[in-house]
Amino acid sequence: MNPTPVTKMAGDKSGQPAADGATRTAGPRGAGLVAFVGAGPGDEGLLTLRAAALLGQADLVVAARWVAERVAHLIPADAAVADDEALQQDPRLLIKAAKSGQLVVRLFSGDPFMFCNAAADAAACAKAKVQFEIVPGVSAATAVPAYAGIPLTSDATGDVRVIHAAEVSRMSAGPGTLVILGAETGVTDIAKMLIAGGWPDTTPFAITWNGTTTDQHTVVGTLGTVTADLKAAGVSLLTAHGPAVAVAGEGVRAQRVLSWFETKPLFGWRVLVPRTKEQAADVCDQLRACGAVPEQVPTIAVEPPRTPQQMERAVRGLVTGRYQWVAFTSVNAVRAVREKFEEYGLDARAFAGVKVAAVGEQTAAALRAFGITPDLMPEDEQSTEGLANSWPAYDDLLDPINRVLLPRADIATEGLLIRLTELGWEAEDVTAYRTVRAAPPPAPTREAIKGGGFDAVLFTSSSTVRNLIGIAGKPHSVTVIAVIGPETAKTAAEFGLRVDVIAPKPSAAALVDALAQHGAAIRDAAVEAGEPVRRPSERRRGARRRMR
């Protein structure tokens, strides 16, 4: 027999204890376990807590490649991952791994007991006296209609039938709702077979591709008009890709009112976030909540200063009471000081008696995560200029010390330093970190930036504009350019970019909100005009609608 194709994420983990903090779920005296786990229909948020826990402890995960990729970040780095082909080559793979003491997760899309072969595999485990567990998953039969805004039951009827597309020709007309899985095989044929089976051609009918993902797309009509409905939506066998679920029944009528997922303001928008991974985390979460697909592209890399002595003296000065204030003008400055503190075995208590200023919300959040609450933050313009305008003058009666520590980047501007000096403070400017231009992103990302593959770009500073164009090129003219404030807008205009969105206040959260409002306005205009809702990237020259 050929060797079983298994991908090792690191070394073999057989017999090793579970990850730190995890409670190993297996049989008595180290016996293994096979868990048949439903991964849900697509949206990672629909994965159950039990499924996530088992994946986090797994020694071996067996799944279709596209299913495993969805949850790869939950699988231990040293676990083995095998695809369905491995199980076909060695039908006893699950049993042998469990008997060796491993925790095996057999992962299925949707629910393992609905149109999956988990029952047969579980029976084989029972026959081999291998402990097994069934972990239900959210089925596409219920989740996809819910994400499309289609109720399956009503006060009048609770009759719901769930079938596979292969069974449609045997389905006679009846009351209630019919849910058809695997409907991507031929939508118009399904409608014709239902009509032939006695269903009225006026029966409301909907089909949803790639349900619960940001590629979701729903077409609504009736059994008799499905061909025209698909044509009007620009959908054909050439453009429709991915799994589909069809629904026939009166509940489909509610879709136009109850559609909540596909009507998010940035639904399906591919948004470029040119910031470091750590800085972009909150922005990306906010974008996802609006239905967008964020993609991070670091434009700068942060490195330690070439000479660390300045920072070492600054840390000693903080501990010995040399400074009255510390002004943090970036998240990177907070991180640099925190890392230096931790290097010396210090924590936030060393800031006792020192006042702390933060340039904006994100810097303040980084300080709070360190255990420090800022004493000063500009209320209006969250920038070094705004911080300078908010800074109090030195008062020799109220301020026992007149020194201010400014841990900053090597390329920081001098405006704040000059302003502090004018206010009577003695500011010590210390290089806490260096910023260098990041390496160019992969070729597909560069091509998407220049070719209009992104729907929007978020620029949170003038440097992100300069650096992104420097490493990846200028965004395409159809791409929505959203900037955090007037200065960034000015820089973007200097590079020939049309600015579409300016945040009402200089914060990343306000910038995402402004972009969401812009996206909602585009959607509302298309709906009012009776036109299909298209993302900016779909309007570029030569672009064709493609549902993945």
Side-chain angles (χ1 to χ4, degrees):
M1 182 178 291
N2 294 329
T4 301
V6 173
T7 300
K8 292 300 295 180
M9 296 185 132
D12 190 354
K13 189 182 170 186
S14 302
Q16 296 300 314
D20 292 345
T23 302
R24 180 69 153 78
T25 305
R29 293 185 294 278
L33 170 73
V34 178
F36 297 94
V37 176
D43 185 348
E44 182 192 323
L46 299 180
L47 193 72
T48 65
L49 293 174
R50 181 61 177 160
L54 286 167
L55 284 168
Q57 303 169 39
D59 299 300
L60 171 64
V61 177
V62 181
R65 189 177 303 277
W66 67 273
V67 177
E69 288 174 350
R70 277 169 35 198
V71 296
H73 62 289
L74 299 175
I75 301 173
D78 55 352
V81 179
D83 59 21
D84 290 343
E85 182 183 348
L87 201 55
Q88 293 171 6
Q89 292 189 19
D90 184 2
R92 290 182 59 81
L93 174 63
L94 306 180
I95 292 171
K96 289 191 294 188
K99 284 192 171 182
S100 71
Q102 291 188 333
L103 170 56
V104 183
V105 173
R106 177 67 174 104
L107 197 63
F108 297 88
S109 176
D111 183 272
F113 271 15
M114 181 169 284
F115 297 106
C116 295
N117 60 354
D121 291 337
C125 289
K127 184 177 180 180
K129 299 189 183 307
V130 168
Q131 184 182 359
F132 66 91
E133 177 180 344
I134 309 297
V135 181
V138 178
S139 171
T142 56
V144 173
Y147 269 56
I150 300 173
L152 300 182
T153 64
S154 67
D155 294 339
T157 177
D159 186 5
V160 178
R161 287 177 287 174
V162 180
I163 65 169
H164 191 271
E167 305 172 86
V168 171
S169 62
R170 303 194 297 270
M171 291 303 300
S172 59
T177 303
L178 180 65
V179 180
I180 306 165
L181 304 182
E184 66 275 4
T185 55
V187 183
T188 55
D189 291 337
I190 288 172
K192 290 176 182 177
M193 284 187 283
L194 289 176
I195 293 173
W199 292 76
D201 59 4
T202 56
T203 302
F205 185 71
I207 182 164
T208 301
W209 283 267
N210 302 299
T212 80
T213 75
T214 50
D215 287 324
Q216 178 175 311
H217 181 68
T218 302
V219 176
V220 176
T222 68
L223 291 176
T225 62
V226 62
T227 301
D229 296 328
L230 292 172
K231 183 177 180 180
V235 178
S236 69
L237 291 176
L238 295 176
T239 61
H241 297 266
V245 175
V247 180
E250 290 300 316
V252 172
R253 297 187 190 279
Q255 193 273 343
R256 298 189 189 280
V257 175
L258 299 182
S259 178
W260 62 274
F261 187 56
E262 293 175 51
T263 55
K264 287 188 174 186
L266 299 176
F267 182 76
W269 282 42
R270 187 182 179 192
V271 180
L272 182 67
V273 184
R275 311 188 77 189
T276 63
K277 183 176 181 180
E278 294 80 5
Q279 293 173 321
D282 291 342
V283 172
C284 289
D285 288 343
Q286 190 179 355
L287 284 168
R288 291 188 190 97
C290 296
V293 183
E295 185 170 328
Q296 302 163 21
V297 174
T299 56
I300 62 168
V302 177
E303 296 181 358
R306 289 191 174 90
T307 56
Q309 291 80 5
Q310 268 192 327
M311 272 292 287
E312 292 169 358
R313 287 195 297 270
V315 170
R316 285 196 297 269
L318 281 169
V319 174
T320 58
R322 176 176 174 81
Y323 303 107
Q324 176 78 1
W325 280 91
V326 182
F328 290 99
T329 56
S330 71
V331 172
N332 288 326
V334 177
R335 185 178 297 112
V337 171
R338 182 172 182 172
E339 288 174 354
K340 186 61 69 174
F341 266 48
E342 291 171 349
E343 181 182 327
Y344 291 132
L346 300 171
D347 56 28
R349 289 174 293 184
F351 280 83
V354 180
K355 294 182 179 180
V356 178
V359 73
E361 295 173 359
Q362 290 184 304
T363 304
L367 284 167
R368 293 188 188 98
F370 188 20
I372 300 169
T373 300
D375 299 282
L376 176 66
M377 187 174 73
E379 294 182 1
D380 297 323
E381 183 179 354
Q382 296 188 355
S383 63
T384 53
E385 184 177 352
L387 184 59
N389 293 333
S390 303
W391 204 279
Y394 171 67
D395 188 326
D396 57 3
L397 296 178
L398 300 176
D399 302 306
I401 304 169
N402 74 332
R403 295 188 191 90
V404 178
L405 174 62
L406 294 177
R408 299 191 297 168
D410 56 332
I411 58 172
T413 58
E414 302 300 319
L416 179 59
L417 182 66
I418 294 171
R419 177 60 177 163
L420 290 175
T421 303
E422 292 173 349
L423 292 171
W425 296 95
E426 180 183 333
E428 293 189 6
D429 201 10
V430 174
T431 299
Y433 61 95
R434 291 184 301 120
T435 57
V436 297
R437 182 174 287 179
T445 302
R446 299 198 303 271
E447 292 169 3
I449 291 171
K450 292 182 286 187
F454 283 98
D455 297 289
V457 180
L458 295 184
F459 287 119
T460 53
S461 67
S462 292
S463 63
T464 58
V465 178
R466 290 189 290 266
N467 289 336
L468 180 69
I469 293 175
I471 65 175
K474 192 164 76 170
H476 193 278
S477 60
V478 301
T479 305
V480 173
I481 305 299
V483 301
I484 202 165
E487 287 300 315
T488 307
K490 181 180 178 182
T491 303
E494 290 172 355
F495 280 92
L497 298 178
R498 180 200 67 253
V499 175
D500 304 286
V501 177
I502 300 178
K505 64 177 183 177
S507 77
L511 178 57
V512 175
D513 285 342
L515 178 62
Q517 291 175 17
H518 182 78
I522 292 175
R523 170 176 288 277
D524 292 345
V527 172
E528 186 174 346
E531 300 174 351
V533 177
R534 301 196 186 281
R535 302 188 302 273
S537 62
E538 294 174 322
R539 295 197 296 271
R540 69 186 188 277
R541 181 177 298 177
R544 296 180 62 184
R545 182 175 184 83
R546 175 184 171 90
M547 294 184 298
R548 296 175 294 278

